[in-house]
Structure formats: structure tokens, C-alpha cells
């Protein structure tokens, strides 16, 4: 491994911890990220020349501390904030006299605070996702732009606006408690799952599957689970992602074309991930008697994972879980998925009835999902002309090239 590759590997591991510790003292996410970045740039300059330090994490932390002190000393405060600056500076100098000894002190608490800060509901969802990948995933702006298939300038603006919003709203760097924590945790999990789903079926672009993006979400989810081992929804989300990720080897053909769930070669599934996901699901279910949305979705994924063949899937159980999910977290997307399960369990006519009830749902107006499922159910009912029209409609709405080709093929084009 080259020195540059080693530095990048160290950075991916240490950057979230370093940023989290700096935010505690600097009380500014943007400034903390800049200071941590300064340390990384100095490492890129010196380590190839001088060699990798004995303790790279301590080296980065010491440099970051010195840079933070320099920044605070140089800062000119106005509007009566001189005293606040002096307190910050004194605290930073007092609390971290031995940076190497302090590296692991309360680092889990700092990381947890950083996760809740980066995913604060004051930010729009797309800003939360970009900031989380930047601060917690260590991804660069170009990497995040490639992940979401948007221009780099768009990602840069999202990150800048997110950091400014957190600063202007004076969001405290803390882990919330009680009911506030439950509300905020939902926002955190939403961001992680959003990142995973964008990789699982990309909303736009040439690829059906973005395993790299799913991997980032899994890494974030596992970190969160390690920090919050007694939260059933956190454990449930990680299990859900692991069970879904286990299908990756079978989800695409040699040319990258999509292979739908019922057509997949299950021998190609990653059974190590399945065992891990099922074990996590079992642990999560011991933590609560009232499963939440992510735990319920993990239970659905487990039904697929436990079936030896497509014909063995327990669609009745899946239908029941979707009914519970519709009560726990009602949404039109849940209803679409429930329609699929009901159609498989009780016949396509019953599934179609659920779909037809959604035809005027405004949140689905620009989504390809409703006509896709409608076309599938119509096809099973022998209503071929209507099915082909539905698939053509869906093809016109999807932004994913692979999915569009699949839908047009089903429409007979």
C-alpha cells in the first residue's frame, strides 16, 4: 500500500472521531471539519517524506489541536463575544494537554453527538445526507456528487448550507434524551436508509445497483448500532440493510441488467450476511415488544432470506407485516408494497384493488412505482393491453436507465 493510500485509509477511520472531538470544543461543525482537513493535508505533505508516524491517530489529533488553537487565537470576535472566545480557548488548552492519552476518552459519546448533529431535523433531508457522508463517511465532495449523481457544485452548496444552518440555529452539540431523542433518532435512521436505498436501486443514471453507496450506509448503520446497542430500531435497520445487501451478487446479470427478486439465483446470495442479519434481527426483537418500522421491514426481509426457493416465500406473513407497517408508518410506498404482498398471498385482484385506491395519491404523481406494480398485477390477471400501457407509463417516469429498459421490455418494446 502506498503512503497516500495509507493516509487515506487512516483518514476514513479517524476523521469522524477527530471531527467529533473538535466540534465539542469549537462548537462549530464547519470550523471543526476545516481544522481536521488541515491536519489531513499536512499528513499528505509530510508522511510520504518523513514516514508514517508510530501513532497516526495521535499525530493527526495533535496537529488538529494546534491548528484549532491557532484559529481561535487569530479570530477577531465582535458583538461582545471576546469572553466566549477566551472560554473556548482556555477550555481547549486545559482539556487536551495530552492528546494521545485523550484519544479514546468519551469518543463514543462524541461520535454519537456528531451523528445527531449532522442529521438534525433543522436541515433538509438532502443536506443531512450530504453532511453525514462528509463528516461520518469521510467522503469528498466529488465522491458524494458521484454517489447521488448530482453536480459537485450542488453537493458543495448543500454541505455549506447545512453547516451554516447548524451554526445560525445554534444547534447544541449533544445527544438528545427522552422523547426528543426518539424524534431525532428517526431523522438519523432516515438519512442512513436514504443513502442505502439510493444505492439499492439508484433513482437515476446507468446503474441499477450502487454497492459502494450501500456499503457506506451499512458502515454508518453499524457504527450507530455499536454506539446504541439497546435501540431496537437501530439494530433493526442494520439487519434490514444486511439482509437486503445479501442479494447483491444475484441482483444483476453479466451486463448489469436487473434481475428481479423472484428470478434470482439464491445460491448466489451472501449467506454470511444473511446469518449476520438474522442474528441481529433476533437480538433486536428481544429489545422490544412493539416493533417499529425498520424492525418490521427487517422481518419482511427475513421472510425472503429464510425461503429456500421463491415458491417457499411466506407471503401471508409478509402481508401481515406490511399491514403492521402501514399502521406504524403509513405511507403510499408502504401501500404499494403491501399491494404486491397481498397480490402474491391472496391473488392479483386483491392486490390491484389496493393499487387502484392509490391512483389519485398526489405523492405518487411522478413516481414510476405505482404503474410498475399496477402493470405487474394486470399482467397476472391476463389484461395484457392495460399492463403494457402501465409499463410504458412507468418507463417514462423512472430516471434509472436499467429500470427503464426493463420496463420497456415488459411493455413489449
Amino acid at each position: 500500500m502506498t503512503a497516500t493510500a495509507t493516509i487515506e485509509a487512516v483518514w476514513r477511520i479517524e476523521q469522524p472521531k477527530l471531527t467529533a472531538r473538535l466540534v465539542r470544543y469549537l462548537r462549530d461543525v464547519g470550523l471543526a471539519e476545516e481544522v481536521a482537513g488541515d491536519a489531513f493535508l499536512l499528513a499528505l505533505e509530510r508522511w510520504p517524506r518523513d514516514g508514517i508516524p508510530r501513532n497516526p491517530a495521535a499525530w493527526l489529533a495533535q496537529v488538529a489541536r494546534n491548528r484549532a488553537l491557532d484559529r481561535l487565537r487569530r479570530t477577531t470576535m465582535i458583538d461582545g463575544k471576546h469572553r466566549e472566545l477566551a472560554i473556548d480557548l482556555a477550555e481547549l488548552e486545559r482539556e487536551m494537554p495530552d492528546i494521545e492519552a485523550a484519544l479514546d476518552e468519551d469518543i463514543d459519546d462524541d461520535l454519537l453527538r456528531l451523528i445527531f448533529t449532522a442529521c438534525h431535523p433543522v436541515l433538509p433531508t438532502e443536506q443531512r445526507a450530504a453532511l453525514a457522508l462528509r463528516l461520518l463517511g469521510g467522503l469528498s465532495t466529488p465522491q458524494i456528487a458521484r454517489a447521488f449523481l448530482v453536480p459537485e457544485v450542488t453537493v458543495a452548496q448543500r454541505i455549506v448550507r447545512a453547516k451554516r444552518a447548524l451554526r445560525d440555529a445554534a444547534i447544541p452539540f449533544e445527544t438528545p434524551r427522552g422523547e426528543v431523542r426518539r424524534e431525532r433518532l428517526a431523522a438519523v435512521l432516515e438519512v442512513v436508509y436514504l443513502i442505502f436505498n439510493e444505492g439499492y436501486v439508484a433513482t437515476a443514471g446507468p446503474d441499477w445497483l450502487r454497492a459502494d453507496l450501500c456499503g457506506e450506509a451499512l458502515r454508518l448503520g453499524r457504527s450507530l448500532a455499536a454506539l446504541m446497542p439497546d435501540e431496537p430500531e437501530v439494530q433493526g435497520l442494520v439487519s434490514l440493510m444486511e439482509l437486503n445487501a445479501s442479494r447483491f451478487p444475484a441482483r444483476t446479470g453479466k451486463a448489469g441488467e436487473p434481475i428481479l427478486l423472484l428470478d434470482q439465483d439464491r445460491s448466489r446470495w451472501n449467506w454470511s450476511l444473511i446469518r449476520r442479519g438474522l442474528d441481529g434481527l433476533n437480538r433486536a426483537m428481544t429489545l422490544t415488544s412493539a416493533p417499529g418500522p425498520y424492525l418490521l421491514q427487517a422481518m419482511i426481509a427475513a421472510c425472503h432470506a429464510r425461503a429456500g426457493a421463491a415458491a417457499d416465500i411466506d407471503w401471508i406473513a409478509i402481508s401481515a407485516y406490511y399491514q403492521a407497517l402501514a399502521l406504524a408508518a403509513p405511507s403510499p410506498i408502504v401501500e404499494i408494497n403491501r399491494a404486491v404482498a397481498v397480490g402474491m398471498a391472496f391473488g392479483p385482484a386483491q392486490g390491484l384493488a389496493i393499487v387502484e385506491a392509490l391512483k389519485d395519491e398526489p405523492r405518487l404523481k411522478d413516481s414510476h412505482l405505482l404503474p410498475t406494480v399496477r402493470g405487474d398485477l394486470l399482467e397476472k390477471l391476463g389484461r395484457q393491453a392495460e399492463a403494457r400501457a402501465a409499463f410504458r407509463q412507468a418507463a417514462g417516469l423512472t430516471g434509472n436507465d436499467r429500470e427503464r429498459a426493463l420496463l420497456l421490455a415488459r411493455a413489449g418494446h
Side-chain angles (χ1 to χ4, degrees):
M1 182 181 288
T2 66
T4 300
T6 301
I7 295 168
E8 290 176 352
V10 170
W11 177 248
R12 289 295 299 277
I13 295 169
E14 299 300 331
Q15 180 263 349
K17 303 175 188 176
L18 185 57
T19 303
R21 182 165 292 284
L22 287 167
V23 172
R24 187 207 294 186
Y25 299 104
L26 299 176
R27 303 172 190 174
D28 185 322
V29 169
L31 180 56
E33 188 199 9
E34 289 176 16
V35 170
D38 287 347
F40 176 59
L41 290 175
L42 194 62
L44 283 172
E45 175 188 328
R46 293 189 180 177
W47 291 6
R49 181 191 68 201
D50 302 337
I52 307 297
R54 180 183 60 82
N55 189 333
W59 190 98
L60 287 168
Q62 185 66 59
V63 169
R65 174 185 180 273
N66 293 338
R67 291 297 173 97
L69 290 169
D70 289 342
R71 292 254 188 152
L72 289 174
R73 291 187 184 110
R74 290 197 309 264
T75 301
T76 301
M77 302 299 287
I78 58 175
D79 298 330
K81 293 184 179 179
H82 294 84
R83 178 174 298 178
E84 180 181 338
L85 174 61
I87 291 172
D88 286 348
L89 182 56
E91 183 177 2
L92 188 60
E93 291 178 315
R94 181 180 66 253
E95 291 290 336
M96 301 184 70
D98 183 348
I99 192 70
E100 187 169 349
L103 272 177
D104 295 322
E105 179 190 349
D106 298 329
I107 194 64
D108 285 358
D109 290 342
D110 281 344
L111 274 173
L112 199 56
R113 294 185 191 105
L114 184 60
I115 290 173
F116 275 95
T117 301
C119 300
H120 196 285
V122 74
L123 304 176
T125 302
E126 66 274 9
Q127 290 183 16
R128 285 184 238 157
L131 192 60
L133 285 173
R134 178 65 163 266
L135 298 181
L136 302 165
L139 272 64
S140 66
T141 297
Q143 287 173 321
I144 299 170
R146 286 196 299 271
F148 286 107
L149 301 175
V150 297
E152 288 183 28
V153 66
T154 300
V155 170
Q157 289 172 348
R158 288 176 182 175
I159 292 171
V160 168
R161 288 169 182 165
K163 290 186 287 191
R164 184 186 302 132
L166 292 174
R167 184 189 65 231
D168 293 347
I171 300 300
F173 183 59
E174 64 181 12
T175 303
R177 303 293 178 187
E179 187 60 33
V180 175
R181 176 169 174 163
R182 281 188 287 274
E183 293 171 358
R184 292 267 298 279
L185 180 59
V188 173
L189 298 180
E190 177 189 24
V191 167
V192 175
Y193 199 34
L194 167 71
I195 295 169
F196 183 87
N197 279 338
E198 182 58 33
Y200 193 72
V201 178
T203 55
D207 298 316
W208 167 255
L209 171 66
R210 297 287 311 282
D212 56 340
L213 201 52
C214 292
E216 288 300 326
L218 255 175
R219 197 166 68 84
L220 291 175
R222 286 169 175 165
S223 296
L224 188 60
L227 295 170
M228 306 176 71
D230 297 325
E231 287 286 352
E233 279 294 85
V234 175
Q235 305 299 322
L237 175 57
V238 173
S239 295
L240 170 61
M241 293 190 293
E242 288 173 339
L243 291 170
N244 284 342
S246 71
R247 306 173 196 159
F248 286 177
R251 288 193 72 232
T252 55
K254 292 181 179 179
E257 72 276 11
I259 300 177
L260 300 180
L261 176 61
L262 299 184
D263 300 323
Q264 290 171 13
D265 177 359
R266 291 172 178 241
S267 68
R268 298 187 61 208
W269 285 4
N270 185 326
W271 292 95
S272 176
L273 263 182
I274 288 176
R275 285 191 293 272
R276 181 168 178 162
L278 292 176
D279 288 345
L281 173 60
N282 290 335
R283 287 194 303 272
M285 291 179 68
T286 66
L287 298 172
T288 180
S289 59
Y294 294 107
L295 193 46
L296 285 167
Q297 290 178 78
M299 293 160 70
I300 292 167
C303 287
H304 292 291
R306 291 186 178 114
D312 300 329
I313 298 171
D314 188 346
W315 288 105
I316 293 177
I318 292 175
S319 298
Y321 292 145
Y322 270 120
Q323 182 64 47
L325 184 59
L327 295 173
S331 82
I333 300 300
V334 171
E335 284 300 291
I336 290 175
N337 286 310
R338 188 170 73 88
V340 173
V342 167
M344 295 297 294
F346 306 109
Q350 292 197 40
L352 185 61
I354 297 173
V355 166
E356 299 292 22
L358 296 169
K359 63 182 180 181
D360 296 323
E361 170 56 57
R363 288 172 288 180
L364 296 175
K365 178 172 64 72
D366 299 320
S367 172
H368 69 287
L369 296 176
L370 186 63
T372 297
V373 172
R374 185 171 182 270
D376 185 70
L377 293 166
L378 287 167
E379 188 176 61
K380 289 174 179 175
L381 288 168
R383 295 159 60 176
Q384 301 300 332
E386 293 174 88
R388 287 193 293 270
F391 288 135
R392 282 193 296 271
Q393 179 189 3
L397 291 171
T398 184
N400 185 281
D401 297 345
R402 296 285 187 180
E403 193 162 29
R404 184 182 303 109
L406 175 65
L407 290 165
L408 288 175
R410 297 191 72 181
H413 287 263

